[in-house]
Structures are given as structure tokens and as C-alpha cells.
Amino acid sequence: MERGNVTTPFGRRAMTLGMFASQVIASEIDSQQPIDKWKLFRTVCEAKAVVGVSDRALAVLNALLSFYPKVELTSGKGLVVFPSNNQLALRTHGMPGTTLRRHLATLVEAGLILRKDSPNGKRYARRDTKGAIGDAFGFDLSPLLARAHELQTAAAAVALARQEAQLARERLSLCRRDLTKLIDVLRETDQTSNWDDLQSRYLLAVDTLPRKPGLAEIEPVLKQLDALRAEVLNQLEKLVNLENSDTNDSQNGCHIQSSHPDSSTESEPGFGSEAVTFSNSRQTSDSMAVVQASNRTAIATDAASQTETPEVTRGKTHRPPQTFPLSTVLKACPDIVDYGPGGKVQSWRDLMVAAAVVRSMLNVSQGAHDEACRVLGPEAAATVLACILQRSPHIASAGGYLRDLTRRSMRQEFVVGPMVMALLRANPGSMALAS
């Protein structure tokens, strides 16, 4: 950073170390990376909890960006906007002056903008003989551009945490519903069971949940409910097995061919009145066996559906495909590493964060990404996005391609493995490392 580029605030406002750090960051902009200002603004909105700004401060930032004449932010001296407070108040829907100044200070403290004050504290621009802006005094948007990758990573982490919390809430709702109804079945079919103790433990577990639980509150309760659910299913399974055993014993004990064992016609069931009795008894016995076998099959199927909850998509049961090891995915798709937290991908969660950043960069809609995560699974969806990024020069529409792969996976026509292996074969060096 050139020392002559450091600016200090006008008037009584003191210079702080944070202001100096923001100016250092703003001076390290990659000149080859312009970015759409409105996409960047939406990224800041998604990461506002991490950045530490309110929705009113974001409204002021939106107004400042509207004064920048171009759609894309690029490095240079032209990133300074110089609207007056009256103009800003109009574009923030009549925000009072004191509120406006407070939120401007919040944006400066958050490191999203810089003040570039003139000698007299006014905001204006000097133009050269051709009418071009030579030097301007106002608010510098350089920190916003310099922190673009950091903000995208933070927004991706927030989106991933929100998705994990949503999945946990769905699992909690399903588990609560299952337990409520399974305990009712146990109470109605076996009065001697400990259903009242099970119900008390269930109520004690769910009573600890707050009104709007987060992931940290849901996970321990979900573990307790999963264990309780397994216990209830075990008791119901034992009850079903006991009933089946009693039914089989009674069936075997009542199997009498004739009421006259000394009759000479017993060894010839094709003749006499006893033949009709034997035939009817045999048909009734066979019918009972068929009905009992059907009941056992239905009960086993229902128990399996209770213990395993595969993802259901449009009425079809679909199990997410198995993913490759993370190291293999990174060897096949090395470009995704640059978008991970801190420029590294060391875990599957880092890969999912990087995939969320890449999703925005490739103009893949949030809906397409959520559907892919639901059908393929979060790890496999992140792997597919990494492969799409690796082959992005050959793909016209990344979003359409992802939707097509998702639909094919729902029809059991697509798995991730061949795609990863094709990229490994396309790069012989990575293939050797993978082996």
C-alpha cells in the first residue's frame, strides 16, 4: 500500500486502527476481478449477521451503490460516490438525517465503505478539461470490492447453516410425529407395557426445546428422541413376533383331519363324507396361512419404513448415491479449492461452502441447488458443482445442467462416480495421484 493513499476523517472524528486496516484491504484489490454490484449487495445481505450490520444500514448501502454509474465494480479511482445527505435520504425513503449518519458510521465500522473526506468535509468531485472525474471526495466502495470473496464465503456458510438447521427441524418433526403415534399403538395393544414411562421421557425431552430452536438446541434432543424411537420400535417388533408365534401354534394345534381316527376311510381322503370335511379344512388352513404371511410382510415393511427414512422425491423413494473420497474429488476438480474458506478445502463442509460460492458465481439458482441437495445429498451435490466448475468452459448453462442431472438421478439414471472418474482421466497427472 502506498502511504500517500491513506486518508484521515474530517473534523472531530478520530482516526482508528480499524479505519487504517480497511484502507490497507481496499488497496489490495485484484484488478482483473470486476463484480456485479447488485450480486455483491445480495451477498452482503445474506451475510449480514456475520458482517454485523442491520437491515437499515443495508438500505443505506443500497442507496450508495445506486449512485455508482456502472453495473460492475472495478478497481481504480472511480469507486468513490459523493451524494449529499438529502439525496441519500430520498433514496432511503425519507430516512431522518440523524439515523442516516448513524448507519453510515456503522458501514464504515463494519469495513464495507471508507470515508474520503475533502479539506472542508464536503462531498464533491473535480473534473478535468474533458469532463471526466479526476478526484472525488465522499464514500469509497473499494473495501466492498476487496472483500468480495470473504463476503461470498461468509454468505455461503450462513446458507449452509440455515439449510442444516432446516433439515434438522424436519427430522425433529418426523421423529416427534412417529413417537406420538407409535406410543399410542403400544398403549392400545399392550396395556402391560411401560408406555407411560416412554411418554413421560418423550415429553421431558421436547419440553427443553425453545420456541424457535436452532441447530445447537435441536441436535441433543434429536439424539434422545432417536434412541427413544428405537426402543419403542423394538417393543412393537417383539409384540408382533409374539402374536405371530401364538397364531402359528394355534394353527398347528387345530389341524385335525378327521373326527373319527379309527375310520377305515381316513387313509383314503378321496371317498366318503370325511373327504369333504378334510378338503374344506385344508382350504381354510391354506387361506389362513396366506393371510398371515401377507400380514407379516406388511408389518415388516411398515417397521422398515419406520426405522429407515430414505428421502422421498415426488412419490418415489430415492437414496442419495455414495460419494467419492474428498481427496479424489479435489484431485479431479482442483479449481474448487480456491473458493473454500481461506482458499482451502479440508473437509466436506468446506467443500459445501465452496460449492455455495460457486453456485452464485455460475448463476445457478438457489432452488436448483436446494433440489440437488435434497435428491443427491449435500456432499454429492457439492461434488457435482465442483465438476461443473471444472468443465464450465464447455457448459452453456450451469443451472440447467444441474437440474437435468438432478432429474436423471431421480430416475436412477445418474451417479456421481463416472463424472469424477472422467475428470480424473482427462488429467493424467491427477489420475496418477489418485491411484
Side-chain angles (χ1 to χ4, degrees), residues 63 207 251 265 316 404:
D207 283 346
Q251 178 184 350
T265 61
K316 297 182 180 180
D404 180 64

PDB file of all heavy atoms in Angstrom, residues 63 207 251 265 316 404:
ATOM      1  N   ALA A  63     -28.499   2.441  -1.293  1.00  0.00           N
ATOM      2  CA  ALA A  63     -28.581   3.795  -1.869  1.00  0.00           C
ATOM      3  C   ALA A  63     -27.223   4.258  -2.372  1.00  0.00           C
ATOM      4  O   ALA A  63     -27.122   4.870  -3.447  1.00  0.00           O
ATOM      5  CB  ALA A  63     -29.126   4.758  -0.815  1.00  0.00           C
ATOM      6  N   ASP A 207     -39.851 -30.787  26.008  1.00  0.00           N
ATOM      7  CA  ASP A 207     -40.109 -29.581  26.796  1.00  0.00           C
ATOM      8  C   ASP A 207     -38.873 -28.693  26.927  1.00  0.00           C
ATOM      9  O   ASP A 207     -38.995 -27.509  27.256  1.00  0.00           O
ATOM     10  CB  ASP A 207     -40.605 -29.966  28.198  1.00  0.00           C
ATOM     11  CG  ASP A 207     -42.064 -30.389  28.175  1.00  0.00           C
ATOM     12  OD1 ASP A 207     -42.739 -30.128  27.164  1.00  0.00           O
ATOM     13  OD2 ASP A 207     -42.520 -31.006  29.167  1.00  0.00           O
ATOM     14  N   GLN A 251     -52.645 -72.561  15.085  1.00  0.00           N
ATOM     15  CA  GLN A 251     -52.956 -73.156  13.785  1.00  0.00           C
ATOM     16  C   GLN A 251     -52.490 -74.606  13.722  1.00  0.00           C
ATOM     17  O   GLN A 251     -53.200 -75.493  13.256  1.00  0.00           O
ATOM     18  CB  GLN A 251     -52.287 -72.343  12.677  1.00  0.00           C
ATOM     19  CG  GLN A 251     -52.511 -72.925  11.286  1.00  0.00           C
ATOM     20  CD  GLN A 251     -51.759 -72.144  10.234  1.00  0.00           C
ATOM     21  OE1 GLN A 251     -51.231 -71.088  10.524  1.00  0.00           O
ATOM     22  NE2 GLN A 251     -51.718 -72.672   9.027  1.00  0.00           N
ATOM     23  N   THR A 265     -61.878 -95.029   6.277  1.00  0.00           N
ATOM     24  CA  THR A 265     -61.744 -94.113   5.136  1.00  0.00           C
ATOM     25  C   THR A 265     -60.703 -93.061   5.378  1.00  0.00           C
ATOM     26  O   THR A 265     -60.487 -92.204   4.526  1.00  0.00           O
ATOM     27  CB  THR A 265     -63.096 -93.426   4.847  1.00  0.00           C
ATOM     28  OG1 THR A 265     -63.476 -92.684   5.998  1.00  0.00           O
ATOM     29  CG2 THR A 265     -64.156 -94.447   4.491  1.00  0.00           C
ATOM     30  N   LYS A 316     -41.454 -41.146  -5.089  1.00  0.00           N
ATOM     31  CA  LYS A 316     -40.518 -42.242  -5.287  1.00  0.00           C
ATOM     32  C   LYS A 316     -39.462 -42.208  -4.203  1.00  0.00           C
ATOM     33  O   LYS A 316     -38.963 -41.164  -3.852  1.00  0.00           O
ATOM     34  CB  LYS A 316     -39.849 -42.142  -6.661  1.00  0.00           C
ATOM     35  CG  LYS A 316     -40.835 -42.279  -7.827  1.00  0.00           C
ATOM     36  CD  LYS A 316     -40.102 -42.212  -9.150  1.00  0.00           C
ATOM     37  CE  LYS A 316     -41.062 -42.352 -10.322  1.00  0.00           C
ATOM     38  NZ  LYS A 316     -40.367 -42.288 -11.616  1.00  0.00           N
ATOM     39  N   ASP A 404     -30.892 -30.891 -14.883  1.00  0.00           N
ATOM     40  CA  ASP A 404     -31.006 -32.104 -15.688  1.00  0.00           C
ATOM     41  C   ASP A 404     -30.388 -33.296 -14.967  1.00  0.00           C
ATOM     42  O   ASP A 404     -30.955 -34.390 -14.942  1.00  0.00           O
ATOM     43  CB  ASP A 404     -30.312 -31.894 -17.039  1.00  0.00           C
ATOM     44  CG  ASP A 404     -30.390 -33.122 -17.923  1.00  0.00           C
ATOM     45  OD1 ASP A 404     -31.510 -33.504 -18.305  1.00  0.00           O
ATOM     46  OD2 ASP A 404     -29.322 -33.708 -18.229  1.00  0.00           O
TER      47      ASP A 404
END
